[in-house]
Amino acid sequence: MLQSFLPFSSELWLIATLLAVLIVPFFTKHPSISTPTVALAGVCFAFTSLFFTDSSPHQYFHNLLLTDPVSTFWKGTLLLFTAAVLILWFATHDRSHDTSDAPEYLTLLLGATLGMSLMASTNHLLMIFLSFELASLPSYVLAGFRKTHRLGAEASLKYVLFGAASSAVMAYGLSLLYGLFHSLSLPVIAHVLAASPSFPPLAAIALIAVATGLGFKIAAAPFHLWCPDVFEGAPIDIAVFLSVASKGAALVLSLRTALTFAAAYNYAPTTPLIALSTTIAIIAAITCTLGNTAALAQTNIKRLLAYSSIAHAGYMLCAVSILLKTSHSAPGFTPSIASTESLLLYLAVYMFMNLGAFSVLAIVHHHTGRDTLDAFQGLGRTSPIAAGCMFCSQISLIGLIPFAGFTAKLNILFALFRAGGWWWALIVTISLNTVLSAFYYFRIVRAMYFEPPSPPNQPRYLGPPLILAIALTSSLILFSMLLLFSPMSRLTTHFSQWSSLTLPN
């Protein structure tokens, strides 16, 4: 039994860190410093433990949890990103205010991280719901954790209401699947459906209900309405955490679920698989178009980045839609590898892009008390390093050469091109949306470099830790994933080669 816990050492480290964060304040006089330090150390240990665990495909605990290279890659990405969020919180939070609630704040953050880690490590209906709720419930509290912030309380309430409704619908769908197929194993359900001569209408309703819950976490249209309000009211570090971690976990789970059904149908162009792939593609196209269109009218940068995250979720859903091979597909094309590789690479790049943008927003908000577009006016003169990081992030979010966003978006476009057929419509959709997104991203660039500073002035001096952090983020965005065959691209290709083995029966 003990051997079964070893592949989940990163989760065990998170649990131990969570307990340590609650206990440490009883033995120190400075909890605002000691607790984030302990939390950061625990996350780093959890990340390091991934290098010593077996990631070969296997199921544990009566098929409740599984390990495979895809889940390992996501855990590494998530833990690395969580460490960056902790550094951002530690560097920018206002120490003049009461920080005695830091242990509770960080406990909720680590609890949400644990749930998002488990979401990528299961294809069992019960564990899907438990990990989904473990990721969601702390997020609801974090969105409105600052009790004196009216917008935070409003954002938390909206998040709870939308989340409760989507969780109830998802639970209903999961219960329907169990009632229909008398199994909690997703691969078993998929193979029974594939062997059935007709697709039961009740099964379609159940899958739609499950997709509703996943769509809420991804903030895919039409389940995106909570996202802008929650981002505006939540603390900046939580907004960036939800923009990447929450969406990423739901996207990886969606990919696993979709590929499970695709593998059961042997990636053949059958009617149920065509319907599933087409539905995901339509939702993806609507999501990215709606996100980019709504962002055009925003002057609040947090709301603008919220709609931007919705648009990027749409781009990543385009990768999830690649589920079958048709006569128009390129020779040697493998849907599971194409979709997995393009999604993993985009998630890794998007982590750095969004982190850079939100880091600069946190710095500007910390010094000016504003997060609107006018707070960025003249930033290129008053703080060139912060403006340079924001410039790299914005151009990369558009997807332009020579930044990493270009590589990530090109990877998705290339996967869609190799899929052939009607997937070419998604290539046109992504291309048009890229042009559309340039209009609102360049508004920030124009404010930083072509408009005079507005009072109160932006930060003129940044401490060495912040300079190092944003310079490192900019360098990673610009150089680390610049070329199509860069180390990160090769890494995601390596992990995606195992995708056909990540769905044990």
Side-chain angles (χ1 to χ4, degrees), residues 246-426:
S246 179
K247 287 180 171 58
L251 282 163
V252 173
L253 178 57
S254 299
L255 177 68
R256 184 183 298 284
T257 303
L259 287 181
T260 299
F261 285 95
Y265 284 95
N266 200 27
Y267 304 101
T270 58
T271 302
L273 201 54
I274 292 174
L276 176 61
S277 181
T278 304
T279 301
I280 296 174
I282 292 173
I283 292 174
I286 294 174
T287 299
C288 60
T289 304
L290 189 149
N292 284 319
T293 304
L296 291 171
Q298 304 304 316
T299 57
N300 183 288
I301 302 301
K302 287 210 296 189
R303 290 187 70 88
L304 186 149
L305 291 175
Y307 282 111
S308 166
S309 73
I310 293 172
H312 284 277
Y315 299 149
M316 288 184 273
L317 276 174
C318 290
V320 178
S321 71
I322 306 173
L323 300 177
L324 52 98
K325 185 175 181 178
T326 67
S327 58
H328 300 285
S329 300
F333 171 74
T334 305
S336 59
I337 294 178
S339 57
T340 304
E341 178 189 357
S342 54
L343 177 62
L344 293 181
L345 179 61
Y346 204 100
L347 275 174
V349 174
Y350 182 61
M351 175 182 73
F352 288 106
M353 296 189 296
N354 235 30
L355 182 62
F358 273 98
S359 297
V360 177
L361 175 60
I363 293 168
V364 172
H365 182 269
H366 181 67
H367 284 265
T368 66
R370 294 175 293 159
D371 49 26
T372 52
L373 185 61
D374 58 358
F376 284 82
Q377 292 180 3
L379 187 65
R381 305 176 201 176
T382 58
S383 185
I385 296 178
C389 179
M390 193 66 170
F391 174 80
C392 291
S393 300
Q394 299 302 292
I395 303 304
S396 188
L397 283 167
I398 296 173
L400 298 180
I401 295 176
F403 295 94
F406 170 77
T407 303
K409 194 168 286 185
L410 183 64
N411 219 34
I412 289 182
L413 292 174
F414 184 65
L416 294 171
F417 175 79
R418 285 175 54 81
W422 58 265
W423 275 292
W424 288 359
L426 290 181

Side-chain angles (χ1 to χ4, degrees), residues 15-27:
I15 295 172
T17 305
L18 192 149
L19 296 175
V21 164
L22 290 174
I23 295 172
V24 163
F26 292 101
F27 302 96

Side-chain angles (χ1 to χ4, degrees), residues 1-9 58-61 65 67:
M1 177 61 73
L2 182 61
Q3 295 294 323
S4 299
F5 286 96
L6 294 180
F8 303 97
S9 57
H58 201 275
Q59 291 190 341
Y60 300 89
F61 309 115
L65 293 173
T67 58

